[in-house]
Amino acid sequence: MSQNLKIRFVPGRYAIARLPVDASLPAWLNGPGFRAVIHSDDETTLVCLEDRVPQGVEADTGWACLRTIGPFPFDAAGIVRALIDPLSANGIGVFVVCTFDGEHVLVPSSEVENATRFLEAAGHVVESR
């Protein structure tokens, strides 16, 4: 089933950083803007505004963040797929973080205009930046 979603950009440029699995959460993570902490068996991944990440921390910078305007029922099928299919089909890499009320899709900042165009062509409504 096709999903037509309402999407907005979250202000700022974001970084995806990697810390050791046993690292404590750093103070630089705190502050305004979207931020996420993902712990796995072998690493800790942080997402935050890129200007917060200190030199020397392994990070990929230059990401823009799109957010669905929800919430959606947890059993709603196809939400993430509806977002990433038009992007992936057109060669745009993504990093996805789902929250209780919605999905955050990070795309390279250099691809914002293309991502917007592909999402709108797929029937989604992208609020202007």
Side-chain angles (χ1 to χ4, degrees):
M1 173 194 249
S2 177
Q3 300 281 338
N4 293 324
L5 304 170
K6 197 180 281 189
I7 304 164
R8 68 175 168 84
F9 279 92
V10 178
R13 284 176 51 107
Y14 286 84
I16 303 163
R18 179 183 7 210
L19 299 178
V21 67
D22 58 349
S24 298
L25 292 182
W28 53 260
L29 179 65
N30 295 321
F34 174 66
R35 55 196 159 117
V37 177
I38 303 109
H39 290 283
S40 68
D41 290 342
D42 57 351
E43 68 175 302
T44 298
T45 298
L46 307 176
V47 179
C48 66
L49 290 168
E50 72 179 13
D51 61 359
R52 286 199 197 125
V53 181
Q55 284 190 338
V57 172
E58 182 181 358
D60 196 275
T61 59
W63 293 86
C65 184
L66 298 161
R67 186 193 196 308
T68 57
I69 300 173
F72 304 100
F74 282 145
D75 62 352
I79 303 295
V80 173
R81 184 175 183 176
L83 287 169
I84 64 172
D85 275 356
L87 301 172
S88 296
N90 289 286
I92 298 177
V94 300
F95 185 87
V96 179
V97 178
C98 295
T99 65
F100 197 93
D101 284 341
E103 291 68 36
H104 292 76
V105 177
L106 285 87
V107 298
S109 293
S110 61
E111 293 286 358
V112 165
E113 288 181 31
N114 289 330
T116 300
R117 188 173 70 244
F118 298 138
L119 289 166
E120 289 176 339
H124 304 305
V125 175
V126 181
E127 291 184 356
S128 61
R129 297 185 71 164

